[in-house]
Amino acid sequence: MLSRPSWFNITSLVVGFSFLYLPIVILIVFSFNDAQLATVWSGFSTRWYGGMLQNEQLMQAVWITLRIGLTSATLATVLGTLAALVLARQGRFFGRSLFSGMIYAPLVMPEVILGLSLVLLFVAMDQNQGFWTIMIAHTTFSMCYVTVIVQSRLSEFDRSLEEAAMDLGCPPVRTFFHITLPQILPGILAGWMLAFTLSLNDLVIASFNAGPETTTLPMRIYGQVKLGGTPEINAISTILILLMTVGVILASVLTKRQRLKRMEEERLAAAHL
Amino acid sequence: MKKPLGPVRRAFSPWDNPSEQPFIEFCNVTKRFGRVVAVDDLSLKIYEREFHALLGGSGCGKTTLIRMLAGFEVPSEGQIYLQGQDLSGVPPYKRPMNMMFQSYALFPHMSVTKNIAFGLEMDGLPSREIKDRVYDMLALVRLEGFAKRRPHQLTDGQRQRVALARSLAKRPKVLLLDEPLAALEKKLREETQLELINLQEQLKITFLIVTHDQEEAMTVADRISLMHMGKIMQNATPGEIYEQPNSRFVAEFLGDINVLDGQISKKQDDEVQLYSSVLGDHLDVHYPTPAEVGDHAALAIRPEKMRISLDKPEQTDINAIRGEVWDIAYMGDVSIYHVKVAETETLRAIVANTTRLVQRPITWEDQVWLSWDSDAGVILLA
């Protein structure tokens, strides 16, 4: 039923969206502000985008953040997928509930506590804090997200496919790579994307585990804002927002188009009896 | 593939030949899942080139049995032999048999060709030969035009044929079929049943089918094992299992049957007389039975072997009892008459509607006679 929206609906929609997106819009608008002071509008300019690229500290932070994100997301995806396979496939084994509880704990654990405990561990192990400690810390907390996604994908997976492969002479390990992996790949990719995003966004855990040479982008932004934000920060934030938006739209368009194509093909197959 | 149905299928009964070695043998196989016994101390011999059906309701253990043969389940006790060789410890990917799955289990990310070629590639055959064999298989199931399609671009019937082609591509010694036609609509299913029979005669390999559909089992199989609660209730040809059921369970599982409880009142060789207290009448039966005079037994007669008439039949050497037409079920090809022969007993008679008369001479509440020959019924002891 398509009926005319009432005034109440329109108002609540406007208020809700403003609440969510007004701050972001303001950030984007001020990234094009000519003035040095971030709060006063003095004309349109793109000079902060150029300045941002000249800012060596900022660019270094971007580079470190990307490296940590790529490595920790990859490691978390491998470990998280293995954990999901064990949980989905091993059936009931001794310590299963403990294992799954421990896998999922970081989902609800306060970041501060997670960060602190990791610091204590690295100090006890006499490790210098830096790239590796942040990378391991990010792997630890993002792994559980990968497990959740991959496990849900595995639960939809028709196990008779694996049996069919083995029945046709395919040993178990080859079966995993030939049959299982291609089927759960979308879940694994989604898990990787999520882990990468989480690593990119993280401030708290990174702050705990960072060394003097390793300042990630969120840490740099946070530090700069505390000293009074510069428009350069607005510029780089705008670029981040843009990248995220494009990523999300691309992903949803791709999956939607795939689904539509599939539905169309199934309809055609049924019609040509 | 569609050749006319041959005049008569060859007389094939290796199970009657005591010197014949079984191709597949289950020896006292038991399978437990926790406390549930799925297969209970079961023994079964299947012969080379036999089309054998495992028939039973859900949970009877038929699927567990076929999965143990394929190697997906390990028997808790007992052995399974293929051509005399013990299969225990042989993983599924090393067993010379292939299975067609109920869900077809086609690999969704591979084309029809790739699906069929999968097993051949696993065997490391040269690509030239793989190509030829895949082509042969596509021709066998008449899907030449669909080689490049993905499974989701096919209809149910086409998917079923791809699954069949894939499981036959490796030329297995045994083809296992797990409810292969359950997803097809009735007409297509009946056609495919005949195709399966032809295919089996053409390829000359042993087929083992699991099904819950008795008509399907009767149509395709040389022999049927009727399973119930992990045991085989009867293992016989379709004709035997229908006409000479060994127990009330088998009699009632296959088709419709009238069962009258009673007591043996007279016996001379195969000529038996059964007294039914419900009818208050002695019934003549010609049937070999170990039962003795005084034993409790039941007489079972298929409804299609019953005759129904308004007047008392003139013959005297048949059984005839009076009753009242209680209900008539018109099915088109046949009508089923429910005749009340006693306060607590209603028997059914099936009459073929051979004329195009809508108005039948016999109708509700008519007083009628039900009659049957003495050799139409079966004596059941269990």
Side-chain angles (χ1 to χ4, degrees):
Chain A
M1 278 290 281
L2 252 157
S3 60
R4 289 177 67 85
S6 69
W7 278 109
F8 177 78
N9 283 351
I10 292 172
T11 317
S12 49
L13 211 64
V14 168
V15 171
F17 273 118
S18 326
F19 185 75
L20 283 173
Y21 291 107
L22 204 58
I24 294 175
V25 172
I26 290 175
L27 175 99
I28 293 172
V29 168
F30 273 94
S31 74
F32 295 103
N33 188 0
D34 191 41
Q36 175 76 45
L37 273 170
T39 44
V40 187
W41 184 259
S42 65
F44 180 85
S45 157
T46 54
R47 69 181 175 116
W48 301 114
Y49 286 85
M52 170 192 86
L53 293 173
Q54 307 295 314
N55 187 334
E56 219 164 274
Q57 278 187 323
L58 208 57
M59 284 301 109
Q60 205 183 1
V62 169
W63 178 228
I64 286 174
T65 308
L66 281 179
R67 268 163 60 210
I68 290 174
L70 289 173
T71 43
S72 75
T74 308
L75 200 60
T77 304
V78 173
L79 293 175
T81 305
L82 290 177
L85 280 168
V86 169
L87 285 174
R89 289 301 168 74
Q90 278 301 317
R92 287 163 55 182
F93 57 88
F94 179 75
R96 187 187 191 277
S97 356
L98 186 69
F99 181 67
S100 81
M102 281 168 70
I103 294 269
Y104 292 140
L107 283 173
V108 289
M109 193 116 67
E111 284 185 311
V112 177
I113 300 201
L114 204 64
L116 183 64
S117 58
L118 282 161
V119 176
L120 293 176
L121 174 75
F122 292 134
V123 170
M125 285 167 67
D126 207 16
Q127 289 292 310
N128 282 328
Q129 300 208 315
F131 174 81
W132 287 103
T133 51
I134 302 180
M135 202 276 285
I136 290 170
H138 279 182
T139 307
T140 318
F141 88 89
S142 55
M143 184 188 123
C144 57
Y145 293 89
V146 179
T147 305
V148 172
I149 295 177
V150 175
Q151 205 187 343
S152 83
R153 183 86 192 179
L154 273 172
S155 66
E156 291 167 14
F157 178 79
D158 178 9
R159 292 217 56 186
S160 64
L161 291 184
E162 286 174 350
E163 289 179 346
M166 281 198 257
D167 186 66
L168 292 164
C170 193
V173 176
R174 279 184 86 178
T175 299
F176 177 78
F177 285 105
H178 272 90
I179 307 299
T180 318
L181 198 58
Q183 290 304 304
I184 60 172
L185 201 59
I188 292 179
L189 287 179
W192 188 90
M193 298 270 273
L194 186 61
F196 182 68
T197 318
L198 285 169
S199 167
L200 230 56
N201 287 340
D202 171 67
L203 171 66
V204 178
I205 291 171
S207 311
F208 272 103
N209 292 287
E213 297 296 308
T214 46
T215 307
T216 64
L217 187 60
M219 286 167 71
R220 176 68 63 197
I221 294 174
Y222 185 67
Q224 293 264 341
V225 170
K226 275 176 87 176
L227 301 172
T230 71
E232 278 169 13
I233 297 296
N234 292 347
I236 194 148
S237 305
T238 303
I239 289 182
L240 278 180
I241 291 167
L242 194 74
L243 284 178
M244 298 275 177
T245 314
V246 168
V248 169
I249 291 175
L250 212 66
S252 75
V253 165
L254 278 179
T255 50
K256 192 168 182 182
R257 195 196 280 172
Q258 215 169 24
R259 209 179 54 227
L260 283 176
K261 192 174 159 217
R262 203 187 158 91
M263 275 164 59
E264 174 68 11
E265 283 173 347
E266 270 168 12
R267 200 183 58 76
L268 280 176
H272 290 295
L273 260 169
Chain B
M1 189 175 70
K2 227 177 191 170
K3 65 175 185 187
L5 284 172
V8 195
R9 299 180 69 180
R10 71 214 178 291
F12 176 74
S13 55
W15 46 87
D16 289 334
N17 179 356
S19 66
E20 187 79 36
Q21 290 300 310
F23 198 65
I24 301 164
E25 187 171 8
F26 293 87
C27 270
N28 304 99
V29 174
T30 296
K31 177 67 185 179
R32 290 183 212 92
F33 294 103
R35 257 180 283 165
V36 180
V37 182
V39 173
D40 189 4
D41 193 27
L42 179 148
S43 295
L44 173 64
K45 290 175 182 167
I46 297 168
Y47 293 87
E48 188 165 13
R49 290 161 63 170
E50 182 181 343
F51 202 142
H52 196 94
L54 299 173
L55 175 65
S58 58
C60 73
K62 58 190 193 299
T63 301
T64 309
L65 198 65
I66 206 175
R67 287 175 58 81
M68 283 195 281
L69 183 57
F72 300 132
E73 307 285 356
V74 180
S76 311
E77 280 161 38
Q79 272 81 40
I80 304 171
Y81 298 95
L82 177 72
Q83 292 180 294
Q85 186 211 343
D86 188 354
L87 284 177
S88 42
V90 182
Y93 49 92
K94 286 192 180 145
R95 297 192 179 195
M97 45 185 105
N98 288 123
M99 176 132 143
M100 198 189 133
F101 290 80
Q102 181 172 9
S103 63
Y104 308 147
L106 297 177
F107 307 132
H109 57 293
M110 295 183 192
S111 66
V112 168
T113 306
K114 276 278 171 198
N115 264 284
I116 298 175
F118 188 85
L120 304 170
E121 280 167 5
M122 289 300 135
D123 283 356
L125 290 185
S127 59
R128 180 77 236 164
E129 193 178 342
I130 293 180
K131 219 175 146 190
D132 290 348
R133 282 233 226 154
V134 169
Y135 182 80
D136 289 347
M137 284 300 135
L138 284 172
L140 186 71
V141 296
R142 303 192 314 273
L143 282 177
E144 293 97 328
F146 299 87
K148 290 202 178 72
R149 295 246 188 133
R150 292 287 183 89
H152 70 266
Q153 296 167 309
L154 301 172
T155 63
D156 267 346
Q158 290 163 344
R159 272 180 232 174
Q160 188 268 348
R161 301 220 293 277
V162 176
L164 190 62
R166 187 179 69 178
S167 54
L168 286 170
K170 290 184 75 171
R171 297 179 188 156
K173 287 182 177 168
V174 185
L175 180 69
L176 310 175
L177 303 133
D178 183 9
E179 302 268 6
L181 314 177
L184 302 182
E185 45 104 9
K186 194 166 184 286
K187 209 164 168 144
L188 190 56
R189 195 164 63 223
E190 284 166 0
E191 270 174 40
T192 317
Q193 285 164 2
L194 295 180
E195 282 180 16
L196 276 181
I197 298 173
N198 290 339
L199 207 58
Q200 199 246 357
E201 290 188 341
Q202 194 181 337
L203 299 170
K204 302 188 184 354
I205 53 178
T206 310
F207 278 33
L208 178 58
I209 187 172
V210 162
T211 179
H212 67 271
D213 180 343
Q214 44 158 313
E215 283 177 19
E216 186 168 300
M218 306 267 284
T219 308
V220 299
D222 293 315
R223 278 196 308 165
I224 297 172
S225 287
L226 179 57
M227 290 184 67
H228 180 57
M229 290 178 50
K231 288 185 177 298
I232 291 178
M233 305 303 286
Q234 189 170 3
N235 172 14
T237 63
E240 284 165 0
I241 209 166
Y242 186 78
E243 300 291 355
Q244 296 153 39
N246 63 1
S247 63
R248 187 178 287 219
F249 176 84
V250 175
E252 287 178 345
F253 189 93
L254 290 158
D256 194 9
I257 199 156
N258 297 300
V259 180
L260 284 163
D261 284 299
Q263 208 170 8
I264 308 274
S265 54
K266 209 156 91 182
K267 187 185 177 194
Q268 191 173 38
D269 300 326
D270 290 347
E271 300 298 334
V272 184
Q273 212 169 54
L274 183 105
Y275 178 74
S276 160
S277 52
V278 180
L279 301 177
D281 204 354
H282 291 273
L283 303 166
D284 293 318
V285 193
H286 178 91
Y287 193 75
T289 172
E292 293 300 332
V293 172
D295 286 355
H296 285 277
L299 171 62
I301 318 132
R302 299 273 176 206
E304 71 271 16
K305 296 188 171 60
M306 291 271 201
R307 286 185 296 267
I308 188 165
S309 55
L310 286 169
D311 304 318
K312 184 172 180 168
E314 284 168 11
Q315 283 165 281
T316 51
D317 56 342
I318 59 168
N319 298 294
I321 51 178
R322 280 186 71 82
E324 182 189 326
V325 176
W326 196 250
D327 221 339
I328 304 170
Y330 175 71
M331 320 279 281
D333 52 349
V334 296
S335 293
I336 304 173
Y337 291 83
H338 294 250
V339 179
K340 199 164 180 180
V341 291
E343 202 46 54
T344 55
E345 193 67 67
T346 304
L347 299 179
R348 293 170 304 285
I350 292 184
V351 178
N353 295 326
T354 46
T355 56
R356 203 173 48 80
L357 277 176
V358 177
Q359 203 62 42
R360 306 273 153 209
I362 297 171
T363 183
W364 283 270
E365 291 172 24
D366 278 357
Q367 295 297 316
V368 293
W369 286 89
L370 278 181
S371 60
W372 67 93
D373 299 336
S374 64
D375 59 2
V378 172
I379 295 284
L380 298 174
L381 296 174

